[in-house]
Amino acid sequence: MYKARIIGTGSSAPSKVLTNKDLENMVDTSDEWIVTRTGIKQRHIAENGEPTSKFAYQASVKALEMAGVSPDQLDMIIVGSVTPDMATPSVGCIVQHQLKATQAAAFDISAGCTGFIYALSIANSYIKSGMCQKILVIGAETLSKITDYQDRTTCIIFADGAGAAVLSKEEGDRGILSTHLYSDGAYGKLLYMPGGGSALPATYKTIDDREHYLKMDGNKVFKIAIKSLEEAALTALSHNNITEGTVDLLIPHQANSRIIDAIAKRLKLPPEKVFSNIDTYGNTSAASVPIALDEANRQKKLKENHLILLDAFGAGFTWGSALLRW
Ligand code: COA
């Protein structure tokens, strides 16, 4: 028997930090409001000239190093991102070239903040089918490039960074136990960027109208996020005949500390069984779960045979979960 197992993780974030105090000077907000309503104290923001691939590459190098895998052993690179360097080539191909992963197929998938779990699920299927042995899965974003720093409802939340995991075909029963993916495009316009695609290509007017920035109805997103995260998490548990209390660590999408607390409560998990780093990273979309996974891993919070539950929700809407035996 074999499974797809994560054998190395890595993460990276821009060195520039944007604090709540900094935001107080940019929009009508306060440190107190942001901390109370979101749990975020600071976030990392890319400088001009720092594209998503920079952080994806740095996270990948660390993950490969931990895994003891050389780039030419990779069969595939999958990147979850809604902020690629450009429409084409993909971040996957840029990173493939930088790593010199000469044997790897490479591509991006767009699944909002659920991007990493979608990518992990695809990688798991390729390994379980026997078609691939080693796959690099990345979640990478520079949301600051599509965030409107005149809009206080979004600019306090979104941030930049990348996380990566090396997935390997391994003997035994440790590895990915299941993944569950969902979508509902009916909610697309509750969190979207109107301009810059084929529907509304860039013109002077779209720029003047600030169409190249994320628009969000935060309150509606908030409520649906809790319901969806709960659905994905509970399905993962029931599919594996596991009760809530058996989970050793929940690593949820870092969207809002109140959302994380609500999910933990619904899953009856005490705070020590829930990983959160939203205070220092903010919401890095597809990068949020793999950055948290890497931090938990490097802090030695993931022990052999631990049951780790990944749970995410994002634009699309998309949502999903992955249950791992570490
Ligand atoms: N600073 C100060 N006040 C703010 C503010 C800010 N940055 N942003 C909004 N407000 C105000 C609103 O204008 C509103 O004022 P009003 O009552 O006078 O109209 C009030 O605060 C409450 O706004 P509301 O939108 O109801 O707040 P909220 O409790 O829902 O928190 C979010 C807003 C965005 C933090 C929250 O809705 C959220 O986190 N949503 C989910 C976002 C998310 O996860 N997105 C990504 C999905 S992957």
Side-chain angles (χ1 to χ4, degrees):
M1 189 166 111
Y2 62 84
K3 285 215 174 325
R5 191 191 304 161
I6 293 175
I7 57 166
T9 59
S11 59
S12 165
S15 46
K16 181 177 168 187
V17 167
L18 187 70
T19 65
N20 292 350
K21 282 275 166 221
D22 295 330
L23 285 164
E24 282 181 359
N25 297 322
M26 297 161 71
V27 287
D28 179 15
T29 192
S30 68
D31 174 51
E32 199 259 331
W33 193 94
I34 301 172
V35 172
T36 316
R37 301 292 255 230
T38 70
I40 303 169
K41 293 179 182 157
Q42 62 158 61
R43 68 286 291 139
H44 295 264
I45 300 294
E47 304 270 14
N48 286 340
E50 287 189 313
T52 297
S53 62
K54 173 177 177 172
F55 308 105
Y57 171 76
Q58 289 175 348
S60 300
V61 168
K62 291 180 193 168
L64 288 163
E65 193 179 281
M66 184 189 285
V69 167
S70 66
D72 60 7
Q73 289 177 273
L74 293 173
D75 302 305
M76 190 175 276
I77 299 172
I78 314 176
V79 184
S81 185
V82 294
T83 47
D85 294 22
M86 54 199 82
T88 190
S90 64
V91 177
C93 283
I94 294 169
V95 172
Q96 178 275 334
H97 176 64
Q98 291 172 339
L99 289 173
K100 301 188 182 63
T102 49
Q103 305 304 311
F107 58 97
D108 294 358
I109 55 142
S110 170
C113 304
T114 321
F116 180 78
I117 292 181
Y118 265 67
L120 194 70
S121 180
I122 297 167
N124 183 40
S125 303
Y126 267 98
I127 288 179
K128 273 170 61 177
S129 72
M131 288 174 72
C132 290
Q133 305 275 334
K134 294 208 167 18
I135 301 181
L136 177 63
V137 183
I138 305 169
E141 305 281 9
T142 46
L143 289 177
S144 64
K145 314 274 187 187
I146 57 167
T147 294
D148 186 349
Y149 286 94
Q150 293 180 13
D151 174 7
R152 67 177 181 173
T153 66
T154 51
C155 74
I156 56 152
I157 294 173
F158 295 123
D160 305 341
V166 177
L167 213 59
S168 174
K169 183 178 170 182
E170 299 286 326
E171 294 289 332
D173 58 5
R174 290 166 52 219
I176 297 178
L177 302 182
S178 67
T179 61
H180 289 89
L181 305 179
Y182 306 85
S183 73
D184 190 345
Y187 295 117
K189 291 200 172 166
L190 292 183
L191 175 52
Y192 79 126
M193 188 174 86
S198 57
L200 204 56
T203 62
Y204 291 110
K205 183 168 177 356
T206 63
I207 291 167
D208 288 345
D209 292 346
R210 309 186 80 73
E211 306 277 22
H212 300 272
Y213 294 123
L214 287 169
K215 317 283 176 198
M216 179 176 77
D217 186 334
N219 206 268
K220 285 195 181 131
V221 175
F222 186 93
K223 289 175 189 143
I224 302 168
I226 293 177
K227 197 163 64 70
S228 308
L229 285 161
E230 181 186 11
E231 178 190 18
L234 290 178
T235 307
L237 299 185
S238 63
H239 180 84
N240 292 284
N241 293 318
I242 284 166
T243 54
E244 287 99 327
T246 330
V247 171
D248 292 294
L249 193 66
L250 169 69
I251 303 184
H253 171 45
Q254 309 287 309
N256 183 313
S257 59
R258 290 186 292 140
I259 295 178
I260 296 174
D261 292 347
I263 297 304
K265 199 168 161 198
R266 286 175 194 214
L267 296 183
K268 303 185 185 77
L269 292 174
E272 62 274 16
K273 285 192 168 190
V274 182
F275 190 85
S276 177
N277 59 9
I278 191 168
D279 57 336
T280 48
Y281 285 95
N283 180 346
T284 58
S285 188
S288 111
V289 168
I291 291 175
L293 179 70
D294 180 51
E295 290 212 324
N297 195 13
R298 286 174 195 268
Q299 291 168 17
K300 310 263 181 265
K301 292 199 163 138
L302 313 178
K303 311 270 189 234
E304 199 169 311
N305 284 314
H306 262 179
L307 282 173
I308 312 295
L309 180 59
L310 311 181
D311 199 14
F313 169 87
F317 285 168
T318 60
W319 61 107
S321 60
L323 188 70
L324 325 176
R325 185 175 297 286
W326 197 256

